[in-house]
Amino acid sequence: MRRQAILEALRRRIATGQAVLAAGCSAGIVARSAEEGGADLIVVYSTGRSRLMGLPTWRFGDSNQGTLEMSSEILNVVSTTPVIGGIEANDPTRRDLGRLLDRFEAAGFSGVINFPTLTNMPDQRRRAEMVGYGFGREVDAIRLARGRGLLTMAYVASAEDAAAMAAGGADVIVTHSGPTTGGRVGYSDDRSVEAVCAYAQSLIDAAVAENPDVIPLLHGGRLATPDDVRKALPLTTAVGFVGASSIERIPVERAVRNTVRAFRNLSTGSEQT
């Protein structure tokens, strides 16, 4: 599915008053279930592998290669939902962004999102900028992808980054409120939902000032459950949510734990009589 068709579908969803949902999926069974549940977009990034390993969301190994390798498993079981690939523009072993995008297109992704990203990693960002890399390369990747007719999504954690991505051609801006809380290996976040939303709105305002047509979505931090997001959406002008740990880690932890407990509590036939 190409960019224009995806955008039309998203805008039809928004026009009905329903929130857009992008589901982070790192395994075929998760992606297939997300599609059956009605996800508007499926987002694939290498960091999801850590979640499936029972670990906190973590980046390790060759991120771009990892995401590309995941595409065949996901696309094998997804029928109609657009699949978006996480592209790491600051990969020093892949200096040519055009060639890197060639690989994402060849893998079958309908769009890209800048992940892993430097937007919420100030220390690594400063080091990257010292050697000619940095967030600007992420903007360049989004600009190039937009020119190829791919859907473009962008994580942003500051008003400046939000404005740069909106001006650079991002169709969807995702306000990154930090690593997701909750579950067995979730991160901690002392902020209230209201505080998270106030900052997210400042990012949305900066993006919309550059491009009124940009689609703003929320992500991360204290926004870990449907109830959290239900509370957050009226506090912002965001029209939906991107879930990763909240889609494929926390629900799996809960479902498997509760199912095993239910089996564990069974008695043998002889004891039941």
Side-chain angles (χ1 to χ4, degrees), residues 218-231:
L218 303 174
H219 169 79
R222 290 290 304 277
L223 308 181
T225 69
D227 285 341
D228 295 332
V229 180
R230 185 178 296 111
K231 180 179 179 181

Side-chain angles (χ1 to χ4, degrees), residues 5-259:
I6 299 170
L7 287 173
E8 289 172 0
L10 295 179
R11 296 197 186 284
R12 284 195 298 270
R13 172 78 71 184
I14 295 166
T16 67
Q18 294 179 298
V20 169
L21 176 63
C25 300
S26 305
I29 191 169
V30 177
R32 188 169 189 169
S33 299
E35 181 171 64
E36 291 172 352
D40 298 291
L41 301 168
I42 288 173
V43 187
V44 179
Y45 6 62
S46 64
T47 51
R49 285 179 162 177
S50 65
R51 292 190 283 269
L52 299 185
M53 295 169 66
L55 302 171
T57 300
W58 204 266
R59 175 191 168 187
F60 55 89
D62 184 333
S63 179
N64 283 314
Q65 185 61 31
T67 300
L68 290 165
E69 289 173 355
M70 294 160 70
S71 64
S72 58
E73 178 179 342
I74 303 296
L75 290 163
N76 185 51
V77 294
V78 171
S79 301
T80 59
T81 309
V83 179
I84 312 302
I87 186 170
E88 184 183 16
N90 283 290
D91 179 349
T93 68
R94 296 179 175 88
R95 293 172 56 85
D96 189 323
L97 292 175
R99 291 178 62 186
L100 182 56
L101 281 166
D102 287 343
R103 297 188 64 189
F104 274 77
E105 284 194 272
F109 288 114
S110 295
V112 294
I113 184 169
N114 62 322
F115 200 83
T117 175
L118 296 175
T119 188
N120 62 338
M121 303 178 74
D123 291 338
Q124 290 192 29
R125 181 171 181 163
R126 281 192 293 270
R127 289 197 294 270
E129 289 170 349
M130 289 178 185
V131 293
Y133 285 80
F135 190 73
R137 271 184 65 90
E138 298 181 28
V139 177
D140 290 342
I142 292 301
R143 183 181 295 108
L144 288 170
R146 171 71 177 267
R148 292 174 177 231
L150 294 169
L151 185 79
T152 51
M153 300 178 66
Y155 277 120
V156 294
S158 73
E160 293 78 13
D161 289 352
M165 278 295 191
D171 296 306
V172 180
I173 291 290
V174 185
T175 61
H176 200 304
S177 297
T180 301
T181 62
R184 288 285 294 121
V185 292
Y187 291 80
S188 61
D189 189 335
D190 295 332
R191 295 174 298 171
S192 66
V193 170
E194 289 79 4
V196 168
C197 289
Y199 190 68
Q201 186 61 49
S202 70
L203 274 55
I204 294 170
D205 291 342
V208 171
E210 290 290 338
N211 177 11
D213 293 327
V214 73
I215 296 174
L217 305 179
L218 303 174
H219 169 79
R222 290 290 304 277
L223 308 181
T225 69
D227 285 341
D228 295 332
V229 180
R230 185 178 296 111
K231 180 179 179 181
L233 285 172
L235 301 177
T236 72
T237 56
V239 294
F241 178 69
V242 177
S245 290
S246 53
I247 294 290
E248 68 177 357
R249 176 176 62 78
I250 297 172
V252 170
E253 290 174 353
R254 185 182 301 119
V256 173
R257 183 171 59 245
N258 291 343
T259 300

